[in-house]
Amino acid sequence: MTETPRKSPIRERKGKNRVSARKTVSPAVNNSYEITLEEALELFVNAKKAEGMRLRTIHDYYQHIEWFRRFLSEFYPDVNFIQQLTADLIRNYINYLKDERNPFAGIDKRERPRKGLAVSTINIRLRTLCTMCRFWAEEGYLTTNPMEKVKLLKSDSVDDLTGFTEKELKKLFGVLDTRQYSCFRDKVIMLLLLDTGIRINELVNIEIQHLDVKQLTLTIPAEIAKNRRSRTIPVSRKIMKLLLELHKENKSYFEPTDYLFLTAYGDQAIPDTFRRRLYVYAKEAKVKRATPHMFRHTFARDYLLNGGDIFTLQLILDHADITTTRRYIQMNKDHVQAQHRQYSPASKYLK
């Protein structure tokens, strides 16, 4: 029986995760000089570029401040300079994000009827503001730091730290038509995330040279690792075989490239492309929630449930502090009961 060849790549929307060149501004000579939010952002970014900050992080800073700028434009049109920022204004921003902001507003096919962002999302934006306000104050552009007394939101929810159930994963894999290049590539991405727990931002930067086929390992070099520490992690034999198959298909479809994960145009894949496609898969599979990071949490949970130790897991996940690793492991009642039945020391004394 001959194997049916996989269909050629379906065209995906082309996108680049680039930070455009922006005009820099001259530093203020003293804090009496009024600085717009845009000028203040450039001062901050210019300093961080000099410190070696990655373009991805800089891109996120621009995005976070853009959302804050839109809030000011709608509700505080008279606030034009960072010297006008106050703790009360920022608290109003927090309440707006918590109660009024519509998730994915303006994004085609992703808008939702509910209002309010997740606590984790709000805190990410607040940390950006906190970092910038501290910089502006330390550099003398602000006489007082408006974020100094503003606290991050607290939450008792662990929803953002949960992984997939086995049933959800079967549904997600079930909607993938792997005769199509894009679906096959996405399946390999999902399986590699489940097999290694690596971050999606690390995954899209993997090159074929990072794979050691004989040793069955994947090296994440320092330049693409989140914490700028190189690490080598194991890869299952079947997953390694799929990675090599994907690379072979890349060579047959596209111009030569070292990157392993490509768009249907042959460009290097970006995280947002996979996030959007995963959202579509989840909707089709009737899975309530699906994000790339949930694969990482699923790996962490199941690694321990299958007998792995938490210290090895910490190394694989690249956590500097083991308390972070502990937070990743959220087990429901069924997991706890199954572990208790298997490992309770009392069972061996019962006849």
Side-chain angles (χ1 to χ4, degrees):
M1 180 176 176
T2 58
E3 182 181 351
T4 304
R6 191 169 286 117
K7 294 180 183 179
S8 60
I10 299 174
R11 295 297 184 189
E12 299 168 357
R13 186 176 180 182
K14 209 170 184 181
K16 293 286 185 182
N17 185 20
R18 293 173 178 165
V19 179
S20 59
R22 299 173 187 263
K23 182 181 72 173
T24 57
V25 296
S26 301
V29 293
N30 56 58
N31 54 35
S32 64
Y33 176 77
E34 292 182 322
I35 307 172
T36 66
L37 188 61
E38 290 77 11
E39 291 173 333
L41 175 60
E42 295 301 333
L43 289 167
F44 173 81
V45 167
N46 190 51
K48 294 305 174 183
K49 280 183 178 178
E51 295 172 7
M53 180 176 284
R54 291 176 174 167
L55 291 181
R56 171 73 189 184
T57 306
I58 293 173
H59 174 272
D60 290 341
Y61 280 139
Y62 278 123
Q63 188 63 69
H64 294 170
I65 289 300
E66 174 60 20
W67 286 319
F68 183 53
R69 188 197 63 76
R70 292 180 186 179
F71 165 79
L72 293 178
S73 178
E74 182 175 355
F75 297 100
Y76 293 89
D78 294 333
V79 174
N80 299 308
F81 307 105
I82 61 170
Q83 287 81 2
Q84 295 173 278
L85 299 180
T86 64
D88 284 340
L89 183 154
I90 293 172
R91 291 189 183 103
N92 288 338
Y93 177 56
I94 294 172
N95 289 330
Y96 163 75
L97 295 176
K98 185 163 59 75
D99 302 325
E100 297 296 329
R101 180 76 165 88
N102 201 323
F104 307 111
I107 302 178
D108 187 35
K109 298 181 179 180
R110 295 196 70 184
E111 289 199 29
R112 301 176 185 177
R114 70 176 178 85
K115 291 187 176 182
L117 303 183
V119 169
S120 59
T121 302
I122 297 173
N123 282 340
I124 288 172
R125 299 187 186 181
L126 289 180
R127 288 189 182 97
T128 296
L129 267 179
C130 184
T131 301
M132 290 186 178
C133 287
R134 186 188 308 116
F135 169 82
W136 296 328
E138 289 175 351
E139 293 291 314
Y141 305 120
L142 290 176
T143 54
T144 59
N145 181 351
M147 280 294 297
E148 192 171 17
K149 295 183 180 180
V150 177
K151 297 182 179 179
L152 299 179
L153 272 67
K154 296 181 180 180
S155 174
D156 296 328
S157 172
V158 295
D159 288 346
D160 291 335
L161 299 177
T162 56
F164 294 105
T165 65
E166 185 176 342
K167 185 177 180 180
E168 288 173 333
L169 285 173
K170 286 181 177 179
K171 285 182 177 181
L172 285 173
F173 284 116
V175 301
L176 298 175
D177 179 5
T178 53
R179 294 172 300 177
Q180 308 290 352
Y181 170 83
S182 298
C183 287
F184 172 64
R185 178 208 57 212
D186 292 345
K187 180 179 180 178
V188 177
I189 289 176
M190 292 160 66
L191 286 169
L192 184 60
L193 291 172
L194 278 176
D195 191 50
T196 62
I198 65 173
R199 304 172 180 92
I200 187 63
N201 287 344
E202 295 172 336
L203 180 143
V204 296
N205 285 291
I206 292 173
E207 299 178 15
I208 189 64
Q209 64 186 5
H210 298 151
L211 301 178
D212 188 324
V213 179
K214 291 183 178 180
Q215 297 297 322
L216 293 178
T217 58
L218 165 63
T219 296
I220 308 297
E223 58 267 23
I224 69 174
K226 179 181 178 181
N227 294 325
R228 301 183 184 237
R229 293 190 301 264
S230 176
R231 71 188 190 281
T232 300
I233 52 181
V235 177
S236 299
R237 187 177 301 276
K238 290 183 178 180
I239 304 300
M240 183 66 76
K241 184 177 178 181
L242 284 173
L243 293 172
L244 296 177
E245 184 180 347
L246 177 63
H247 179 58
K248 182 179 179 181
E249 295 218 6
N250 289 343
K251 290 195 296 183
S252 67
Y253 289 137
F254 310 116
E255 294 294 325
T257 177
D258 291 331
Y259 289 111
L260 193 56
F261 296 101
L262 308 175
T263 71
Y265 287 91
D267 299 320
Q268 180 188 1
I270 61 173
D272 283 346
T273 299
F274 178 66
R275 288 189 183 98
R276 289 193 296 268
R277 293 179 64 83
L278 183 59
Y279 175 81
V280 174
Y281 296 145
K283 192 172 183 180
E284 185 178 348
K286 294 182 172 54
V287 172
K288 184 177 180 181
R289 182 169 177 265
T291 68
H293 217 60
M294 288 176 67
F295 289 97
R296 184 167 162 87
H297 290 292
T298 304
F299 166 78
R301 181 198 68 206
D302 290 0
Y303 184 87
L304 290 186
L305 288 174
N306 291 331
D309 70 89
I310 194 169
F311 298 105
T312 305
L313 178 61
Q314 179 189 0
L315 294 175
I316 294 174
L317 293 178
D318 190 32
H319 287 157
D321 191 333
I322 202 167
T323 57
T324 306
T325 312
R326 292 180 184 276
R327 289 181 63 247
Y328 265 62
I329 305 156
Q330 302 296 334
M331 299 185 188
N332 61 29
K333 184 175 68 174
D334 292 338
H335 294 138
V336 175
Q337 289 179 335
Q339 292 290 289
H340 181 266
R341 284 194 299 269
Q342 184 173 355
Y343 296 113
S344 172
S347 60
K348 63 183 178 183
Y349 300 106
L350 298 175
K351 295 182 179 180

